[in-house]
Amino acid sequence: MENSLRLAEKLFESQNIQTFIFEPPYENLERFDSGFRNQFFPKEDYGMLGRWTILHCSEVGNIYLLEDFFRLASVIVPLPAKNDGGGLRYFVASPFTFERLSENDISAIIQKSSIDNAVNPAVPKKMLSFFAELPLVFSRDKFQSFLCALFPSLLDSDDMHIVYHYFSGGETYLYSESDADGVDEEVAAAIEKRYEIENAMQSAVEAGDAQSAISYYKKITRFGIKPRTPNAIRNLKNFAIVLNSHLRKIMEKCGVHPYYIDEISRDFAIRIEECTTQIQLFDLAIEMIKSYCTQISEHRVKCYSEPIKKCVTYIEFHYAEYLSLQVLSEKMYMNASYLSSQFSKETGTTLTEYINRTRINHALPLLVQTSRRIEEISNTCGFDDMNYFSRVFRKFAGCSPSEYRKKYKK
C-alpha cells in the first residue's frame, strides 16, 4: 500500500500537484487549499472542512473530485483501513485548477464572496498571483481517465467510481453551515434516490437498453445537481464530460474492445466542446447514451470463451474482407464444425448471420452520413453482390437500403 501511495505521489507531483495523507488527528487542514482561505478568509474554521470531508467522502472505492466556487479543485481518495484500528485515512491531491482565472474572474469572485478586506487594492493582485501559481490541468476528460486508471490499479480494486462535489457561488465558504451540524434528511434521501437511478441507468446501458437508459438519464437531470461553474454552458459541458467518462467505463466493463471505446469516447469529447447551446448539449447526451448502448450490444465479448472472443474481434476488424467458416476456422486454428457449433452456442446466432449483421451495422451510418452510391457502400462493407446486400439489409433493417437512406438522412 505505502509503495503504491508513493507512486501516486510522484505521478501527481509530475503535474506539480501537491499530495498528502489526511489522517488522525486530521490537522494542518490549510494544505487542502495552500492556505487560500486562511489568507483571504481569516475567520474561517478549517475544522469544519475536516468534518465535512469525513462525513461526505468516506466510502472506500470512490474517488472524490471536489471543485468550489473559487475554481480550486481537490482529489480525495479514502484508503482501506489499517489493522491497527486507527481512523480512516485519505490520499489527497490538492489544490489545482481546471482553468486559468483572468482579472475579471478575480473581480467577480471578490464581488460575489463579500471578502471583508475587498476594499484593499492589494487583494485582487494577491489573489491573481495565487491562482497564477496553481497547477493547471488542461483537460478534464484526460484527468478523469488518469484517475480511473491510476487508483483502481494502485488499490487493487476493479470497481472504483468518480464522485463529484461542487460548492456553489452563493457560499462564501467551501461548505454550508448546515453540513457542519448534520445531514439534512430530505437532501440525503434525494441523493440516495439519485444514486439508485444512476445505478439503474448503468444496468440499462450494460444491457444495451437505450430506451430505459435515456428514461433514467432524464430523471437524473431533474434532481437539480449543483452547478460546478457560474457559466451555464460550461457547466452542462462538464456534466456531459462526466457522462461520457461514465459510459466509457461501462463499455469497458462489458468487455468491448479498447479500439471501439477510444473511438467513440474521443468523438464525443470533441463534439461536447463544439456545442454552443444547452439544447445541443442535452440532445448530444441522449445521442451519447444511444451510441454507447448500440456499441455495447454490437461489440460485447466479455461473456464469450477466448476462441470466440478472438473470432468476433477478427470479424469486427476484417468485415470488409472475404469471410467464411473455412477462413475463420483456419485463422482461429479450430475445427470448422466445432467452431460453427460453439459460435452458435455462445452468441445465439450463426456465424454467417453474425458476419452479415456486422457488415450491415457498418453500412447504416454510410447510408445516412454520406452520399456514396449504395452499390459502393455494399462493396465497402464486404458484399460483392448488390442483390444479396439488399436482401440481407431488408432482413436486419426491415426496409431496403434506399428506403433507409430516405428515412434517416438529414
Side-chain angles (χ1 to χ4, degrees), residues 253-316:
K253 182 180 178 181
C254 289
V256 177
H257 194 282
Y259 172 84
Y260 295 104
I261 299 175
D262 182 70
E263 186 176 50
I264 188 173
S265 174
R266 183 177 63 251
D267 178 62
F268 278 116
I270 294 171
R271 292 176 63 188
I272 288 169
E273 294 303 330
E274 291 174 344
C275 289
T276 57
T277 68
Q278 297 184 36
I279 299 273
Q280 288 176 344
L281 285 161
F282 183 80
D283 290 343
L284 184 62
I286 301 301
E287 182 184 344
M288 208 184 302
I289 293 172
K290 289 181 179 178
S291 297
Y292 273 97
C293 286
T294 299
Q295 291 279 348
I296 287 171
S297 296
E298 292 176 357
H299 303 300
R300 184 190 303 273
V301 298
K302 188 174 183 179
C303 58
Y304 301 154
S305 63
E306 284 302 317
I308 302 304
K309 280 184 183 180
K310 292 180 180 178
C311 186
V312 167
T313 300
Y314 188 87
I315 293 170
E316 295 286 356

Side-chain angles (χ1 to χ4, degrees), residues 8-254:
E9 290 172 2
K10 291 183 179 297
L11 290 173
F12 278 101
E13 287 172 1
S14 69
Q15 302 179 62
N16 297 317
I17 301 174
Q18 70 170 4
T19 64
F20 59 93
I21 301 299
F22 183 50
E23 59 185 345
Y26 304 121
E27 296 176 337
N28 299 323
L29 293 166
E30 65 276 4
R31 289 177 297 179
F32 275 91
D33 63 4
S34 291
F36 176 79
R37 288 169 178 77
N38 197 31
Q39 180 177 355
F40 296 102
F41 300 95
K43 295 181 181 180
E44 178 168 353
D45 176 14
Y46 267 102
M48 292 177 64
L49 172 57
R51 293 191 292 273
W52 190 95
T53 299
I54 295 170
L55 183 63
H56 294 280
C57 304
S58 296
E59 185 175 339
V60 176
N62 285 339
I63 303 168
Y64 295 94
L65 181 54
L66 280 58
E67 287 187 77
D68 62 25
F69 169 63
F70 303 109
R71 320 289 176 88
L72 299 177
S74 304
V75 173
I76 300 178
V77 182
L79 303 173
K82 286 186 172 181
N83 296 326
D84 58 9
L88 194 64
R89 300 190 306 154
Y90 303 83
F91 177 90
V92 180
S94 179
F96 56 93
T97 185
F98 287 108
E99 52 188 309
R100 187 64 74 205
L101 270 63
S102 66
E103 291 185 14
N104 289 336
D105 292 325
I106 298 296
S107 297
I109 288 175
I110 292 174
Q111 183 179 2
K112 292 181 179 180
S113 58
S114 301
I115 296 177
D116 290 341
N117 58 347
V119 294
N120 185 340
V123 169
K125 186 176 181 180
K126 287 182 179 179
M127 193 176 288
L128 189 62
S129 176
F130 177 90
F131 280 101
E133 295 177 1
L134 274 182
L136 176 63
V137 176
F138 289 98
S139 170
R140 293 173 186 271
D141 193 42
K142 290 181 179 179
F143 188 71
Q144 293 160 15
S145 299
F146 164 70
L147 297 178
C148 289
L150 174 64
F151 287 105
S153 175
L154 293 184
L155 301 180
D156 194 24
S157 175
D158 295 329
D159 191 25
M160 295 190 74
H161 306 281
I162 293 182
V163 176
Y164 292 86
H165 285 294
Y166 174 76
F167 306 95
S168 69
E171 298 168 0
T172 298
Y173 300 110
L174 179 65
Y175 32 71
S176 63
E177 291 292 338
S178 60
D179 287 333
D181 297 325
V183 181
D184 184 281
E185 292 184 1
E186 291 185 3
V187 173
I191 293 174
E192 185 177 346
K193 183 64 176 178
R194 192 187 86 217
Y195 275 82
E196 180 181 323
I197 295 173
E198 286 178 349
N199 290 334
M201 186 187 79
Q202 176 173 327
S203 298
V205 174
E206 289 178 1
D209 184 357
Q211 185 174 352
S212 296
I214 291 170
S215 176
Y216 288 127
Y217 175 75
K218 289 180 178 179
K219 291 180 180 178
I220 292 170
T221 62
R222 300 189 192 112
F223 272 89
I225 301 171
K226 286 185 177 183
R228 296 171 60 196
T229 77
N231 185 310
I233 298 299
R234 180 70 261 170
N235 185 50
L236 288 176
K237 285 185 178 182
N238 292 343
F239 284 140
I241 290 170
V242 173
L243 177 64
N244 191 26
S245 298
H246 187 49
L247 292 172
R248 179 178 59 204
K249 296 303 294 183
I250 296 174
M251 198 172 180
E252 181 182 4
K253 182 180 178 181
C254 289

